[in-house]
Amino acid sequence: MEWLDKILGLSAHELEWYQMVLRAVIVYAVALVYIRIAGMRSFGTSSAFDVVITITIGGILSRTITGHYPFFPVLLTAFVMALCHRLIALLTFKSDKARIAAEGKPVLLFTEGSFVEKNLSMNSIHRTDLDRTLREQDLMIMVR
């Protein structure tokens, strides 16, 4: 495990630029998994893919403000994350398997005038939450 310590700087007092970049890529992947596990209930209409990049870049860039981390390596790290996001967006555009891995499968919540109770339950979405979202989008539904 010495190689892992060296490559990630686990015991270093100051990180090298490549250690920060590698850590950011790992955090991005882990955050995507965590958000997929937690479910999208907490994140509204944004996909996990979009939420992860927002959180990750926000967290990285906040380091430049506090002054506890070197300014330019942090900016480079955030830039690498933006490039990773763009690359994954391209992959998800070209491949259905990559899209499903990054964004998940769409879930039908309402069809033919009825709620799909099983899907609402599986995603921890109450009917009133769906009603509110539809009203916010100026959509009216007739429920049987």
Side-chain angles (χ1 to χ4, degrees), residues 28 32-33 35-36 40 47-52 85 88-89 91-93 95-105:
Y28 178 86
L32 182 59
V33 169
I35 288 175
R36 299 276 296 140
M40 290 311 299
S47 70
F49 180 59
D50 295 321
V51 171
V52 167
H85 186 71
I88 292 171
L91 291 173
T92 61
F93 179 74
S95 165
D96 286 339
K97 288 182 181 182
R99 183 182 45 76
I100 290 169
E103 299 178 3
K105 290 183 179 179

Side-chain angles (χ1 to χ4, degrees), residues 49-103:
F49 180 59
D50 295 321
V51 171
V52 167
I53 195 65
T54 302
I55 292 169
T56 306
I57 289 182
I60 292 167
L61 291 176
S62 71
R63 305 298 193 243
T64 62
I65 296 168
T66 63
H68 293 136
Y69 298 88
F71 186 74
F72 290 109
V74 172
L75 291 179
L76 175 64
T77 302
F79 178 72
V80 168
M81 293 312 305
L83 289 178
C84 286
H85 186 71
R86 185 61 129 180
L87 174 64
I88 292 171
L90 178 63
L91 291 173
T92 61
F93 179 74
K94 301 257 184 205
S95 165
D96 286 339
K97 288 182 181 182
R99 183 182 45 76
I100 290 169
E103 299 178 3

